[in-house]
Amino acid sequence: MASAAIGLTVLSGLLYVLGYALSRNLVTDHGLSPLQVTFLRCVVILVVVLAATAWPGSRMTWRRLLRPESAWQQRAAAVALVVSNALAVLAYTLLSVTAASALGFTAPLLLALLGGLFLRERVSLGRWLGTSIGFAGMLLIVRPGGEASLAGIAAAFAGALTYAAYQIVIRRLREVATTLDTIMQVALVGVVLLAVPVAADWRPVSPVSAGLIVVVTAVQTAALGSIAAALHRGEASRLAPWQFSGLLWAMALDALVLHATPTPLGLFGAVLVIGGGVLAQVLPSPERT
């Protein structure tokens, strides 16, 4: 169970970075706004959900969409994720993929703290140490004070905070809400929440942009499903250090697409990221009294 949760967490990091890199392309090269990208993703998912409700034996039903268990809590989590997604797209637009990912992946450190405070998870010294080492590796990768803009930094940190809040609520809902419930509520809430602001600043969507939106939606929905499934299988604070693996994927993507060769400090930071995740698993948690 633990290895499955870790694997799903690492996979979600890869998919999120890839999805946000593609979202950045929609903003910088196709002229869409970050809110519009997020809104259109939610529209695509909601259309699929509504189509599936008509399928005999489908698990997607009108009651499950409109009257879910613990509705207010599920929708609060959905609001947090929609806001986080929009902020993340903005951050990736203003920063490099590696810088945006490194700043955005402060979420695992926040998650380790919030998991201990709100979920009453026993956060061992090993987990704190592993998360802190991973955070130090992140700082070596991004090197604050370099090319990062203030607006990009603010968007990335705000996105990380709302994403950590989303994961905390989802962890508390694991007995009543499945990954499918999460995806359905995010789609519904995203469409309702963003419809007015997006309509007020609507930008043309070309066929190529529409196709890319479908690809982004598929990639990031898979990422959402992976992390939701991971949180159903393992403690939030225990999985937190492994989410730093997204930084490694970001470095690889920058190297392959932008031909940005990692610096020695950046590579050392990557070693710390991996070491932090392993250390959090090796050192045992304290026993409950």
Side-chain angles (χ1 to χ4, degrees), residues 238 277-284:
R238 192 173 184 85
V278 173
L279 182 63
Q281 298 300 309
V282 172
L283 296 184

Side-chain angles (χ1 to χ4, degrees), residues 5 9 22-23 35 72 102 109 131 161 179 191 198 211 241 247 264 276:
T9 302
L22 293 173
S23 297
L35 283 183
W72 286 107
L109 188 62
T131 302
L161 180 60
T179 302
V191 170
V198 168
L247 302 179

Side-chain angles (χ1 to χ4, degrees), residues 72-154:
W72 286 107
Q73 292 184 61
Q74 285 203 53
R75 285 168 183 160
V79 168
L81 186 58
V82 168
V83 171
S84 176
N85 283 341
L87 289 168
V89 174
L90 176 60
Y92 273 77
T93 303
L94 297 173
L95 304 169
S96 69
V97 173
T98 298
S101 298
L103 291 164
F105 275 99
T106 55
L109 188 62
L110 297 171
L111 181 59
L113 173 62
L114 296 177
L117 290 176
F118 295 106
L119 301 181
R120 299 185 183 277
E121 294 179 354
R122 299 301 297 271
V123 186
S124 69
L125 176 62
R127 295 189 202 173
W128 277 117
L129 185 58
T131 302
S132 299
I133 289 173
F135 184 76
M138 179 275 294
L139 291 177
L140 289 178
I141 293 172
V142 72
R143 295 192 303 279
E147 53 87 27
S149 70
L150 181 60
I153 291 173

